Amino acid sequence: MKLFFTLSLLALTRILSPAIDLEPLMAVPDKVVLEHDFSEPDQLTKETWAARQGTRWSIEDSLLRGIPSSPEFQASKKDHKGLEPRVSSPATPAQFIAKFSVRFTDGRESAIVPFVEFGHHVARVKFSETSIHILGDHDSLKLAETTDLKYEPGKWYHCLAELKGEEFVIQFAGGPTLYAKHPSYALPPPSGAPGMGVTGPMGGTAEIDNVTFWTIKDEPQAGWDAKRNTFPKFEPVQVKTKK
């Protein structure tokens, strides 16, 4: 009985996730193209969630959970060894609204991971113990940053991200909103895995839950121009040489 109550409480916590209170700021939703709570095993297909670099993903406890590749796979590769769990969703529209929850546990942070990105090396949200920031232009520029929210292993981040033209905005439930604009966001991804991608810490675990993707309409949200002007100004910082 106690076990049933605990599992029911965990399920209720996810159902009542703070992410449900997040509403788009910039884009107007059109059609839902994917909606996954990972309660069914058929929600894990290569058309919706593609494991990358030999990493291992499964649906467990109504979550999409990923771990690094096997030691045998890592030993067989010179690079792209899958040292951290990596997955992408080809179902993500080119311009979108995406609502999701993500959690990273175990392992360790590096200069590159963990992160959530939209388009391979396009709009990347890097989680760091000192800040959370947005990268652009093939990860060469830091375009927005907050120190009000930082990377904490085991913490759920409930998010709503929007990409429309050159603009990208991501909200964190109970936390800040980050806004970035760059011409590279409006270009086709340079290469690699399409859509939303999640990469966990080195040697750790990544978990995803309550995902919804929408296509968007041409017109922006009413009042978007005024809302945009309320975001903190951030001078872009070059963090590496563009490839």
Side-chain angles (χ1 to χ4, degrees), residues 100-147:
F100 61 95
S101 297
V102 64
R103 176 169 70 173
F104 306 114
T105 56
D106 303 322
R108 64 180 178 86
E109 177 193 347
S110 75
I112 298 174
V113 300
F115 63 78
V116 177
E117 67 180 356
F118 299 91
H120 193 43
H121 295 295
V122 179
R124 179 171 289 187
V125 181
K126 170 65 168 70
F127 291 74
S128 164
E129 292 179 354
T130 58
S131 70
I132 291 180
H133 55 265
I134 299 176
L135 301 171
D137 203 20
H138 209 276
D139 312 330
S140 67
L141 294 177
K142 184 189 295 184
L143 299 172
E145 184 174 35
T146 181
T147 57

Side-chain angles (χ1 to χ4, degrees), residues 10-234:
L10 289 172
L12 182 62
T13 299
R14 286 201 290 268
I15 291 171
L16 298 179
S17 160
I20 64 175
D21 295 328
L22 295 174
E23 297 291 340
L25 300 174
M26 173 177 63
V28 177
D30 188 11
K31 298 178 181 178
V32 173
V33 297
L34 181 143
E35 189 170 16
H36 281 177
D37 60 5
F38 303 108
S39 60
E40 302 294 336
D42 63 1
Q43 291 180 331
L44 181 56
T45 69
K46 64 180 180 180
E47 291 79 21
T48 55
W49 299 98
R52 297 172 54 208
Q53 297 188 13
T55 61
R56 295 165 288 177
W57 290 81
S58 59
I59 293 176
E60 303 174 25
D61 304 321
S62 295
L63 299 170
L64 179 59
R65 180 173 293 134
I67 60 174
S69 63
S70 67
E72 293 77 14
F73 181 92
Q74 294 174 19
S76 71
K77 298 291 183 178
K78 292 183 177 180
D79 52 24
H80 296 92
K81 293 174 175 285
L83 300 177
E84 54 282 305
R86 293 174 179 259
V87 72
S88 63
S89 178
T92 317
Q95 299 188 91
F96 60 81
I97 298 168
K99 186 179 289 189
F100 61 95
S101 297
V102 64
R103 176 169 70 173
F104 306 114
T105 56
D106 303 322
R108 64 180 178 86
E109 177 193 347
S110 75
I112 298 174
V113 300
F115 63 78
V116 177
E117 67 180 356
F118 299 91
H120 193 43
H121 295 295
V122 179
R124 179 171 289 187
V125 181
K126 170 65 168 70
F127 291 74
S128 164
E129 292 179 354
T130 58
S131 70
I132 291 180
H133 55 265
I134 299 176
L135 301 171
D137 203 20
H138 209 276
D139 312 330
S140 67
L141 294 177
K142 184 189 295 184
L143 299 172
E145 184 174 35
T146 181
T147 57
D148 293 336
L149 188 65
K150 302 173 184 179
Y151 169 48
E152 298 178 37
K155 175 184 175 68
W156 277 106
Y157 297 89
H158 307 288
C159 312
L160 191 148
E162 306 166 63
L163 189 147
K164 186 177 190 297
E166 297 183 356
E167 297 181 285
F168 175 76
V169 61
I170 182 167
Q171 302 175 66
F172 294 89
T177 296
L178 292 175
Y179 168 80
K181 182 178 181 180
H182 195 271
S184 62
Y185 290 160
L187 299 174
S191 64
M196 174 179 162
V198 174
T199 296
M202 294 192 68
T205 300
E207 294 172 314
I208 307 169
D209 197 11
N210 295 326
V211 178
T212 307
F213 297 148
W214 291 264
T215 58
I216 63 174
K217 297 182 179 180
D218 292 337
E219 69 275 13
Q221 288 276 352
W224 169 240
D225 288 341
K227 182 64 178 178
R228 180 200 290 121
N229 292 330
T230 67
F231 298 130
K233 306 301 180 187
F234 186 88

